[in-house]
């Protein structure tokens, strides 16, 4: 099965054309090699893909006959993505929440102290 179709079948991408575009942009690797959308996937292949600023790592267990339900996805792949990747994504969300709108002015001393406190909490 083609890599773009496989990623669509196991629900990493909403449409097959989005999966194809990700392959063309070089966001998808099989066994540490950047691949084209037409590259075939076989069991025991290791797939690395970058989506929403998270680097996912998967191992292919089996090839699905067609798109599968969310509960059945684990039959066809093993997700080996480290938890630190998702924690980094949470940090990014927190940073965006604090973003100051244009025209609000310079950060106050209280704003700076809050930022310093937030960064100290994340280091621990």
């Amino acid at each position: 099965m083609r890599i773009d179709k496989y990623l669509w079948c196991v629900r990493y991408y909403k449409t097959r054309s989005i999966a194809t575009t990700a392959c063309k942009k070089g966001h998808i690797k099989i066994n540490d090699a950047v691949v084209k959308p037409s590259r075939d996937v076989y069991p025991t292949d290791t797939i690395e893909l970058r989506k929403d600023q998270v680097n996912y790592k998967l191992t292919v267990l089996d090839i699905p006959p067609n798109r599968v339900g969310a509960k059945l996805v684990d039959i066809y792949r093993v997700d080996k993505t480290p938890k630190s990747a998702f924690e980094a994504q949470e940090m990014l969300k927190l940073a965006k929440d604090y973003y100051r709108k244009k025209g609000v002015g310079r950060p106050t001393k209280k704003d700076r102290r809050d930022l310093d406190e937030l960064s100290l909490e994340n280091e621990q």
Side-chain angles (χ1 to χ4, degrees):
M1 175 181 282
R2 292 169 53 113
I3 181 67
D4 60 342
K5 187 172 181 180
Y6 177 81
L7 292 172
W8 170 74
C9 286
V10 294
R11 298 185 167 269
Y12 276 91
Y13 290 100
K14 191 172 182 178
T15 65
R16 193 164 159 197
S17 63
I18 295 171
T20 303
T21 305
C23 288
K24 288 179 181 176
K25 289 182 177 180
H27 294 247
I28 298 171
K29 296 179 181 178
I30 297 179
N31 301 328
D32 296 324
V34 177
V35 295
K36 293 182 180 180
S38 61
R39 165 74 153 71
D40 284 335
V41 178
Y42 303 102
T44 70
D45 278 347
T46 303
I47 300 172
E48 295 179 32
L49 66 114
R50 182 162 176 83
K51 179 183 170 202
D52 297 332
Q53 296 183 343
V54 176
N55 294 324
Y56 293 92
K57 291 182 183 3
L58 323 167
T59 302
V60 179
L61 296 177
D62 198 10
I63 306 297
N66 51 13
R67 189 167 168 97
V68 294
K71 293 181 180 178
L72 302 176
V73 168
D74 291 331
I75 297 171
Y76 300 104
R77 58 101 176 129
V78 174
D79 193 355
K80 295 183 178 180
T81 307
K83 292 187 179 185
S84 61
F86 295 110
E87 291 170 1
Q89 186 181 29
E90 287 297 319
M91 286 300 302
L92 188 64
K93 285 181 184 178
L94 288 174
K96 286 182 180 178
D97 286 344
Y98 191 77
Y99 179 75
R100 295 175 60 84
K101 292 189 172 43
K102 187 172 182 177
V104 176
R106 291 176 50 185
T108 63
K109 282 186 180 180
K110 183 181 182 328
D111 292 337
R112 183 183 51 80
R113 289 181 186 134
D114 289 342
L115 282 171
D116 290 343
E117 182 180 318
L118 181 66
S119 64
L120 286 176
E121 287 176 5
N122 294 329
E123 290 176 2
Q124 295 174 356

